[in-house]
Amino acid sequence: MESQKTSLILGGTKGLGRHLADLSSGAGERVIEVGSSVITEVLDGSRLQLHCDLRDLGDTMRFISRISQFQPIHRFFWVAGKRLKGSFVNQSSDEIRFVTNINYGHSVLVAKSVWWHMEHSQPNVEHSFVVIGSSSGVNARKEEAVYAGSKHAQVGFTRSLGLENQNPLIRITLALPGGMKTEFWDGDQPADFDQFLDPAKVAPRIWEAVNEQSEMYQELPIPRGSL
């Protein structure tokens, strides 16, 4: 009898991450939902919510020290992200540091720990390593230099890891959705916000692609208007 699978979702308490958590839970998986909005650890059936503030290195490292408790991790979803809009010269050092740490700098440390555990997992265990990038990771955005730069770093990392990976039991997916209707916008919604993607539709598209994936690396563009 196959043991229960585990999904770890970095940024799994809101928006797209929460929808992916719902899909994982609905498939009978144990789900580790990680987010800064979690104040106290919450266990609800097979769903565990854990706190991690990716802005803070100490907090990130404390979470990383717990990852070994959840092995084997069958699916890892890197969803966490933070937007920063405005003139680069007017953005504070703290704003720049926080956004780059959440979008790449500290998140990639979590990803590295998960990857190590996947590489050293039990024999014949298949893993999905899923990075939720953005169309901003392959396009330039006016007044979003820091944000777009951090998403470009995430895309470059994932593509390069795809070339590096020699383990056929680890399949990498890079999802590149366009703008979505989530809390990400913090009330600063663009004029065409009504045309943005519904995360409740994006999540099943990603879930389906990950479950059907046979190749070791795939990219999944999800442009606005495609769902």
Side-chain angles (χ1 to χ4, degrees), residues 25-150:
S25 179
E29 299 183 356
R30 179 179 63 156
V31 186
I32 315 298
E33 304 169 53
V34 184
S36 61
S37 62
V38 178
I39 306 302
T40 58
E41 185 173 314
V42 178
L43 176 62
D44 181 10
S46 61
R47 296 176 73 149
L48 175 63
Q49 290 191 346
L50 296 178
H51 172 82
C52 179
D53 188 343
L54 290 165
R55 296 175 300 177
D56 181 81
L57 179 59
D59 215 44
T60 302
M61 297 309 294
R62 280 188 289 275
F63 170 69
I64 288 173
S65 71
R66 299 193 61 183
I67 289 177
S68 61
Q69 300 174 15
F70 312 121
Q71 299 310 309
I73 295 171
H74 299 84
R75 306 181 201 269
F76 171 63
F77 293 92
W78 173 355
V79 190
K82 179 70 174 176
R83 178 174 175 254
L84 181 61
K85 184 176 176 62
S87 171
F88 174 55
V89 73
N90 292 326
Q91 291 166 349
S92 71
S93 297
D94 281 345
E95 287 177 321
I96 292 170
R97 180 166 55 86
F98 288 161
V99 167
T100 53
N101 284 344
I102 292 170
N103 292 353
Y104 185 73
H106 290 170
S107 292
V108 77
L109 300 179
V110 176
K112 191 252 186 182
S113 179
V114 172
W115 184 268
W116 187 92
H117 284 289
M118 286 182 172
E119 285 273 22
H120 295 81
S121 184
Q122 302 166 8
N124 302 319
V125 174
E126 295 185 345
H127 307 275
S128 297
F129 189 92
V130 186
V131 179
I132 311 300
S134 166
S135 58
S136 294
V138 292
N139 296 310
R141 304 290 189 199
K142 184 179 180 181
E143 295 191 327
E144 295 187 14
V146 171
Y147 169 71
S150 65

